[in-house]
mmCIF file of all heavy atoms in Angstrom:
data_model
loop_
_atom_site.group_PDB
_atom_site.id
_atom_site.type_symbol
_atom_site.label_atom_id
_atom_site.label_comp_id
_atom_site.label_asym_id
_atom_site.label_seq_id
_atom_site.Cartn_x
_atom_site.Cartn_y
_atom_site.Cartn_z
ATOM 1 N N PHE P 1353 -61.755 -7.420 -157.092
ATOM 2 C CA PHE P 1353 -61.302 -6.108 -156.689
ATOM 3 C C PHE P 1353 -62.584 -5.297 -156.396
ATOM 4 O O PHE P 1353 -63.199 -4.784 -157.358
ATOM 5 C CB PHE P 1353 -60.468 -5.449 -157.773
ATOM 6 C CG PHE P 1353 -59.752 -4.215 -157.313
ATOM 7 C CD1 PHE P 1353 -58.406 -4.299 -156.977
ATOM 8 C CD2 PHE P 1353 -60.402 -2.991 -157.200
ATOM 9 C CE1 PHE P 1353 -57.692 -3.174 -156.543
ATOM 10 C CE2 PHE P 1353 -59.713 -1.856 -156.786
ATOM 11 C CZ PHE P 1353 -58.323 -1.995 -156.419
ATOM 12 N N LYS P 1354 -62.945 -5.306 -155.159
ATOM 13 C CA LYS P 1354 -64.187 -4.683 -154.715
ATOM 14 C C LYS P 1354 -65.296 -5.259 -155.560
ATOM 15 O O LYS P 1354 -65.363 -6.486 -155.713
ATOM 16 C CB LYS P 1354 -64.095 -3.183 -154.796
ATOM 17 C CG LYS P 1354 -62.946 -2.671 -153.928
ATOM 18 C CD LYS P 1354 -62.718 -1.191 -153.965
ATOM 19 C CE LYS P 1354 -61.492 -0.865 -153.115
ATOM 20 N NZ LYS P 1354 -61.167 0.506 -153.126
ATOM 21 N N LYS P 1355 -66.210 -4.468 -156.143
ATOM 22 C CA LYS P 1355 -67.261 -5.014 -156.971
ATOM 23 C C LYS P 1355 -67.009 -4.643 -158.445
ATOM 24 O O LYS P 1355 -67.933 -4.699 -159.274
ATOM 25 C CB LYS P 1355 -68.626 -4.456 -156.516
ATOM 26 C CG LYS P 1355 -68.967 -4.944 -155.150
ATOM 27 C CD LYS P 1355 -70.300 -4.470 -154.699
ATOM 28 C CE LYS P 1355 -70.588 -5.009 -153.318
ATOM 29 N NZ LYS P 1355 -71.917 -4.800 -152.889
ATOM 30 N N LEU P 1356 -65.758 -4.393 -158.762
ATOM 31 C CA LEU P 1356 -65.378 -3.941 -160.088
ATOM 32 C C LEU P 1356 -65.432 -5.069 -161.095
ATOM 33 O O LEU P 1356 -65.016 -6.223 -160.866
ATOM 34 C CB LEU P 1356 -63.950 -3.404 -160.023
ATOM 35 C CG LEU P 1356 -63.402 -2.763 -161.277
ATOM 36 C CD1 LEU P 1356 -64.222 -1.522 -161.649
ATOM 37 C CD2 LEU P 1356 -61.951 -2.381 -161.032
ATOM 38 N N HIS P 1357 -65.998 -4.758 -162.284
ATOM 39 C CA HIS P 1357 -65.949 -5.621 -163.469
ATOM 40 C C HIS P 1357 -65.093 -4.863 -164.477
ATOM 41 O O HIS P 1357 -65.376 -3.728 -164.803
ATOM 42 C CB HIS P 1357 -67.358 -5.853 -163.990
ATOM 43 C CG HIS P 1357 -68.141 -6.826 -163.163
ATOM 44 N ND1 HIS P 1357 -68.289 -8.145 -163.498
ATOM 45 C CD2 HIS P 1357 -68.739 -6.647 -161.969
ATOM 46 C CE1 HIS P 1357 -69.003 -8.772 -162.529
ATOM 47 N NE2 HIS P 1357 -69.300 -7.856 -161.618
ATOM 48 N N LEU P 1358 -64.074 -5.561 -164.997
ATOM 49 C CA LEU P 1358 -63.097 -4.916 -165.834
ATOM 50 C C LEU P 1358 -62.516 -5.900 -166.870
ATOM 51 O O LEU P 1358 -62.228 -7.050 -166.480
ATOM 52 C CB LEU P 1358 -61.974 -4.331 -164.946
ATOM 53 C CG LEU P 1358 -60.821 -3.600 -165.588
ATOM 54 C CD1 LEU P 1358 -61.309 -2.237 -166.132
ATOM 55 C CD2 LEU P 1358 -59.688 -3.423 -164.611
ATOM 56 N N MET P 1359 -62.387 -5.463 -168.065
ATOM 57 C CA MET P 1359 -61.628 -6.210 -169.108
ATOM 58 C C MET P 1359 -60.700 -5.220 -169.780
ATOM 59 O O MET P 1359 -61.124 -4.387 -170.588
ATOM 60 C CB MET P 1359 -62.609 -6.783 -170.133
ATOM 61 C CG MET P 1359 -63.490 -7.889 -169.589
ATOM 62 S SD MET P 1359 -64.504 -8.649 -170.867
ATOM 63 C CE MET P 1359 -63.295 -9.719 -171.620
ATOM 64 N N LYS P 1360 -59.394 -5.355 -169.407
ATOM 65 C CA LYS P 1360 -58.438 -4.350 -169.835
ATOM 66 C C LYS P 1360 -57.101 -5.064 -170.022
ATOM 67 O O LYS P 1360 -56.548 -5.525 -169.048
ATOM 68 C CB LYS P 1360 -58.337 -3.269 -168.815
ATOM 69 C CG LYS P 1360 -57.666 -2.031 -169.210
ATOM 70 C CD LYS P 1360 -57.770 -1.016 -168.035
ATOM 71 C CE LYS P 1360 -57.509 0.353 -168.502
ATOM 72 N NZ LYS P 1360 -57.541 1.295 -167.412
ATOM 73 N N ASN P 1361 -56.618 -5.158 -171.242
ATOM 74 C CA ASN P 1361 -55.288 -5.780 -171.511
ATOM 75 C C ASN P 1361 -55.180 -7.083 -170.798
ATOM 76 O O ASN P 1361 -55.888 -8.030 -171.072
ATOM 77 C CB ASN P 1361 -54.185 -4.807 -171.186
ATOM 78 C CG ASN P 1361 -54.194 -3.550 -172.015
ATOM 79 O OD1 ASN P 1361 -54.631 -3.583 -173.174
ATOM 80 N ND2 ASN P 1361 -53.779 -2.430 -171.440
ATOM 81 N N ASN P 1362 -54.236 -7.157 -169.863
ATOM 82 C CA ASN P 1362 -53.999 -8.438 -169.121
ATOM 83 C C ASN P 1362 -54.685 -8.513 -167.795
ATOM 84 O O ASN P 1362 -54.296 -9.279 -166.903
ATOM 85 C CB ASN P 1362 -52.485 -8.675 -169.007
ATOM 86 C CG ASN P 1362 -51.825 -7.620 -168.130
ATOM 87 O OD1 ASN P 1362 -52.376 -6.514 -167.967
ATOM 88 N ND2 ASN P 1362 -50.645 -7.912 -167.631
ATOM 89 N N LEU P 1363 -55.733 -7.698 -167.623
ATOM 90 C CA LEU P 1363 -56.450 -7.672 -166.345
ATOM 91 C C LEU P 1363 -57.935 -7.833 -166.597
ATOM 92 O O LEU P 1363 -58.568 -6.965 -167.206
ATOM 93 C CB LEU P 1363 -56.175 -6.338 -165.599
ATOM 94 C CG LEU P 1363 -56.804 -6.211 -164.217
ATOM 95 C CD1 LEU P 1363 -56.423 -7.321 -163.290
ATOM 96 C CD2 LEU P 1363 -56.386 -4.861 -163.603
ATOM 97 N N VAL P 1364 -58.503 -8.958 -166.121
ATOM 98 C CA VAL P 1364 -59.940 -9.207 -166.194
ATOM 99 C C VAL P 1364 -60.396 -9.439 -164.795
ATOM 100 O O VAL P 1364 -59.922 -10.298 -164.072
ATOM 101 C CB VAL P 1364 -60.247 -10.449 -167.112
ATOM 102 C CG1 VAL P 1364 -61.732 -10.722 -167.161
ATOM 103 C CG2 VAL P 1364 -59.679 -10.226 -168.509
ATOM 104 N N LEU P 1365 -61.441 -8.702 -164.421
ATOM 105 C CA LEU P 1365 -62.034 -8.780 -163.074
ATOM 106 C C LEU P 1365 -63.530 -8.933 -163.140
ATOM 107 O O LEU P 1365 -64.169 -8.226 -163.940
ATOM 108 C CB LEU P 1365 -61.661 -7.564 -162.229
ATOM 109 C CG LEU P 1365 -60.174 -7.342 -161.953
ATOM 110 C CD1 LEU P 1365 -59.940 -6.005 -161.356
ATOM 111 C CD2 LEU P 1365 -59.651 -8.441 -161.088
ATOM 112 N N PRO P 1366 -64.098 -9.829 -162.374
ATOM 113 C CA PRO P 1366 -63.471 -10.858 -161.522
ATOM 114 C C PRO P 1366 -62.614 -11.779 -162.394
ATOM 115 O O PRO P 1366 -62.781 -11.851 -163.607
ATOM 116 C CB PRO P 1366 -64.611 -11.612 -160.886
ATOM 117 C CG PRO P 1366 -65.837 -10.782 -161.068
ATOM 118 C CD PRO P 1366 -65.565 -9.912 -162.256
ATOM 119 N N HIS P 1367 -61.686 -12.484 -161.728
ATOM 120 C CA HIS P 1367 -60.840 -13.428 -162.471
ATOM 121 C C HIS P 1367 -61.695 -14.373 -163.280
ATOM 122 O O HIS P 1367 -62.653 -14.957 -162.718
ATOM 123 C CB HIS P 1367 -59.933 -14.195 -161.458
ATOM 124 C CG HIS P 1367 -58.905 -14.984 -162.145
ATOM 125 N ND1 HIS P 1367 -59.193 -16.178 -162.772
ATOM 126 C CD2 HIS P 1367 -57.554 -14.812 -162.290
ATOM 127 C CE1 HIS P 1367 -58.084 -16.713 -163.285
ATOM 128 N NE2 HIS P 1367 -57.087 -15.892 -163.009
ATOM 129 N N PRO P 1368 -61.408 -14.526 -164.576
ATOM 130 C CA PRO P 1368 -62.359 -15.225 -165.426
ATOM 131 C C PRO P 1368 -62.554 -16.725 -165.179
ATOM 132 O O PRO P 1368 -63.604 -17.268 -165.586
ATOM 133 C CB PRO P 1368 -61.760 -15.020 -166.846
ATOM 134 C CG PRO P 1368 -60.351 -14.696 -166.621
ATOM 135 C CD PRO P 1368 -60.257 -14.028 -165.268
ATOM 136 N N ARG P 1369 -61.672 -17.388 -164.529
ATOM 137 C CA ARG P 1369 -61.825 -18.857 -164.331
ATOM 138 C C ARG P 1369 -61.924 -19.245 -162.851
ATOM 139 O O ARG P 1369 -62.023 -20.409 -162.514
ATOM 140 C CB ARG P 1369 -60.676 -19.597 -164.987
ATOM 141 C CG ARG P 1369 -60.709 -19.487 -166.509
ATOM 142 C CD ARG P 1369 -59.449 -20.018 -167.180
ATOM 143 N NE ARG P 1369 -58.234 -19.379 -166.731
ATOM 144 C CZ ARG P 1369 -57.787 -18.153 -167.102
ATOM 145 N NH1 ARG P 1369 -58.516 -17.429 -167.937
ATOM 146 N NH2 ARG P 1369 -56.656 -17.673 -166.640
ATOM 147 N N MET P 1370 -61.948 -18.279 -161.963
ATOM 148 C CA MET P 1370 -61.977 -18.633 -160.561
ATOM 149 C C MET P 1370 -63.192 -19.432 -160.130
ATOM 150 O O MET P 1370 -63.078 -20.288 -159.253
ATOM 151 C CB MET P 1370 -61.865 -17.345 -159.672
ATOM 152 C CG MET P 1370 -63.078 -16.415 -159.768
ATOM 153 S SD MET P 1370 -62.907 -14.955 -158.784
ATOM 154 C CE MET P 1370 -63.200 -15.570 -157.158
ATOM 155 N N HIS P 1371 -64.315 -19.259 -160.768
ATOM 156 C CA HIS P 1371 -65.541 -19.942 -160.392
ATOM 157 C C HIS P 1371 -65.502 -21.418 -160.716
ATOM 158 O O HIS P 1371 -66.350 -22.173 -160.260
ATOM 159 C CB HIS P 1371 -66.767 -19.253 -161.053
ATOM 160 C CG HIS P 1371 -66.758 -19.375 -162.531
ATOM 161 N ND1 HIS P 1371 -65.955 -18.587 -163.333
ATOM 162 C CD2 HIS P 1371 -67.443 -20.174 -163.336
ATOM 163 C CE1 HIS P 1371 -66.187 -18.912 -164.590
ATOM 164 N NE2 HIS P 1371 -67.071 -19.903 -164.621
ATOM 165 N N GLU P 1372 -64.494 -21.856 -161.477
ATOM 166 C CA GLU P 1372 -64.383 -23.255 -161.880
ATOM 167 C C GLU P 1372 -63.296 -24.004 -161.142
ATOM 168 O O GLU P 1372 -63.034 -25.169 -161.429
ATOM 169 C CB GLU P 1372 -64.054 -23.350 -163.386
ATOM 170 C CG GLU P 1372 -64.996 -22.613 -164.252
ATOM 171 C CD GLU P 1372 -64.484 -22.518 -165.705
ATOM 172 O OE1 GLU P 1372 -63.217 -22.481 -165.920
ATOM 173 O OE2 GLU P 1372 -65.304 -22.466 -166.593
ATOM 174 N N ARG P 1373 -62.549 -23.322 -160.262
ATOM 175 C CA ARG P 1373 -61.327 -23.899 -159.675
ATOM 176 C C ARG P 1373 -61.451 -24.048 -158.171
ATOM 177 O O ARG P 1373 -61.490 -23.052 -157.428
ATOM 178 C CB ARG P 1373 -60.170 -23.020 -160.052
ATOM 179 C CG ARG P 1373 -59.958 -22.995 -161.539
ATOM 180 C CD ARG P 1373 -58.828 -22.132 -161.950
ATOM 181 N NE ARG P 1373 -58.478 -22.375 -163.345
ATOM 182 C CZ ARG P 1373 -57.626 -21.638 -164.005
ATOM 183 N NH1 ARG P 1373 -57.009 -20.636 -163.420
ATOM 184 N NH2 ARG P 1373 -57.404 -21.914 -165.279
ATOM 185 N N LEU P 1374 -61.455 -25.289 -157.737
ATOM 186 C CA LEU P 1374 -61.570 -25.565 -156.283
ATOM 187 C C LEU P 1374 -60.349 -25.016 -155.544
ATOM 188 O O LEU P 1374 -60.468 -24.582 -154.377
ATOM 189 C CB LEU P 1374 -61.671 -27.057 -156.019
ATOM 190 C CG LEU P 1374 -63.064 -27.691 -156.096
ATOM 191 C CD1 LEU P 1374 -63.032 -29.172 -155.818
ATOM 192 C CD2 LEU P 1374 -64.002 -26.971 -155.155
ATOM 193 N N PHE P 1375 -59.177 -24.961 -156.180
ATOM 194 C CA PHE P 1375 -57.974 -24.465 -155.498
ATOM 195 C C PHE P 1375 -58.089 -22.970 -155.239
ATOM 196 O O PHE P 1375 -57.335 -22.443 -154.405
ATOM 197 C CB PHE P 1375 -56.697 -24.817 -156.239
ATOM 198 C CG PHE P 1375 -56.514 -24.172 -157.598
ATOM 199 C CD1 PHE P 1375 -55.958 -22.891 -157.719
ATOM 200 C CD2 PHE P 1375 -56.862 -24.851 -158.737
ATOM 201 C CE1 PHE P 1375 -55.798 -22.290 -158.928
ATOM 202 C CE2 PHE P 1375 -56.683 -24.261 -159.986
ATOM 203 C CZ PHE P 1375 -56.171 -22.974 -160.063
ATOM 204 N N VAL P 1376 -59.023 -22.297 -155.890
ATOM 205 C CA VAL P 1376 -59.312 -20.897 -155.561
ATOM 206 C C VAL P 1376 -60.559 -20.820 -154.649
ATOM 207 O O VAL P 1376 -60.570 -20.118 -153.650
ATOM 208 C CB VAL P 1376 -59.566 -20.085 -156.840
ATOM 209 C CG1 VAL P 1376 -60.107 -18.694 -156.513
ATOM 210 C CG2 VAL P 1376 -58.326 -19.997 -157.659
ATOM 211 N N LEU P 1377 -61.587 -21.579 -154.965
ATOM 212 C CA LEU P 1377 -62.866 -21.487 -154.287
ATOM 213 C C LEU P 1377 -62.771 -21.905 -152.799
ATOM 214 O O LEU P 1377 -63.341 -21.212 -151.938
ATOM 215 C CB LEU P 1377 -63.939 -22.303 -154.980
ATOM 216 C CG LEU P 1377 -64.320 -21.810 -156.369
ATOM 217 C CD1 LEU P 1377 -65.252 -22.815 -157.070
ATOM 218 C CD2 LEU P 1377 -64.978 -20.459 -156.291
ATOM 219 N N LEU P 1378 -62.075 -23.006 -152.528
ATOM 220 C CA LEU P 1378 -61.999 -23.478 -151.112
ATOM 221 C C LEU P 1378 -61.297 -22.475 -150.190
ATOM 222 O O LEU P 1378 -61.837 -22.163 -149.137
ATOM 223 C CB LEU P 1378 -61.426 -24.888 -151.085
ATOM 224 C CG LEU P 1378 -62.321 -25.972 -151.635
ATOM 225 C CD1 LEU P 1378 -61.633 -27.323 -151.600
ATOM 226 C CD2 LEU P 1378 -63.655 -26.044 -150.913
ATOM 227 N N PRO P 1379 -60.057 -22.003 -150.586
ATOM 228 C CA PRO P 1379 -59.482 -20.997 -149.670
ATOM 229 C C PRO P 1379 -60.266 -19.695 -149.618
ATOM 230 O O PRO P 1379 -60.339 -19.039 -148.555
ATOM 231 C CB PRO P 1379 -58.067 -20.800 -150.218
ATOM 232 C CG PRO P 1379 -58.020 -21.535 -151.516
ATOM 233 C CD PRO P 1379 -59.154 -22.427 -151.610
ATOM 234 N N LEU P 1380 -60.893 -19.322 -150.686
ATOM 235 C CA LEU P 1380 -61.699 -18.073 -150.722
ATOM 236 C C LEU P 1380 -62.922 -18.282 -149.788
ATOM 237 O O LEU P 1380 -63.270 -17.395 -148.995
ATOM 238 C CB LEU P 1380 -62.096 -17.705 -152.108
ATOM 239 C CG LEU P 1380 -62.972 -16.469 -152.266
ATOM 240 C CD1 LEU P 1380 -62.276 -15.240 -151.689
ATOM 241 C CD2 LEU P 1380 -63.375 -16.249 -153.719
ATOM 242 N N PHE P 1381 -63.568 -19.416 -149.907
ATOM 243 C CA PHE P 1381 -64.737 -19.751 -149.021
ATOM 244 C C PHE P 1381 -64.336 -19.708 -147.580
ATOM 245 O O PHE P 1381 -65.110 -19.248 -146.718
ATOM 246 C CB PHE P 1381 -65.292 -21.103 -149.425
ATOM 247 C CG PHE P 1381 -66.462 -21.544 -148.586
ATOM 248 C CD1 PHE P 1381 -67.718 -20.971 -148.822
ATOM 249 C CD2 PHE P 1381 -66.304 -22.453 -147.567
ATOM 250 C CE1 PHE P 1381 -68.816 -21.349 -148.049
ATOM 251 C CE2 PHE P 1381 -67.408 -22.858 -146.782
ATOM 252 C CZ PHE P 1381 -68.698 -22.284 -147.061
ATOM 253 N N GLU P 1382 -63.140 -20.200 -147.274
ATOM 254 C CA GLU P 1382 -62.649 -20.210 -145.862
ATOM 255 C C GLU P 1382 -62.682 -18.800 -145.257
ATOM 256 O O GLU P 1382 -63.023 -18.643 -144.088
ATOM 257 C CB GLU P 1382 -61.233 -20.818 -145.816
ATOM 258 C CG GLU P 1382 -60.671 -20.908 -144.450
ATOM 259 C CD GLU P 1382 -59.268 -21.431 -144.419
ATOM 260 O OE1 GLU P 1382 -58.856 -22.149 -145.341
ATOM 261 O OE2 GLU P 1382 -58.550 -21.136 -143.443
#
């Protein structure tokens, strides 16, 4: 979410595991 870093209840930004998941990284890279 823009350049926001946030840890609040059920919302953590950037998503905490996205950097380990090809199913997120490949479409994001596209």
Side-chain angles (χ1 to χ4, degrees):
F1353 193 99
K1354 303 178 183 178
K1355 295 183 181 188
L1356 185 64
H1357 286 258
L1358 180 71
M1359 291 185 79
K1360 195 176 197 182
N1361 297 328
N1362 62 341
L1363 182 56
V1364 178
L1365 297 170
H1367 189 283
R1369 293 170 303 283
M1370 67 181 283
H1371 66 283
E1372 306 170 329
R1373 296 180 168 171
L1374 275 180
F1375 66 85
V1376 171
L1377 294 171
L1378 290 176
L1380 180 59
F1381 179 77
E1382 181 182 336

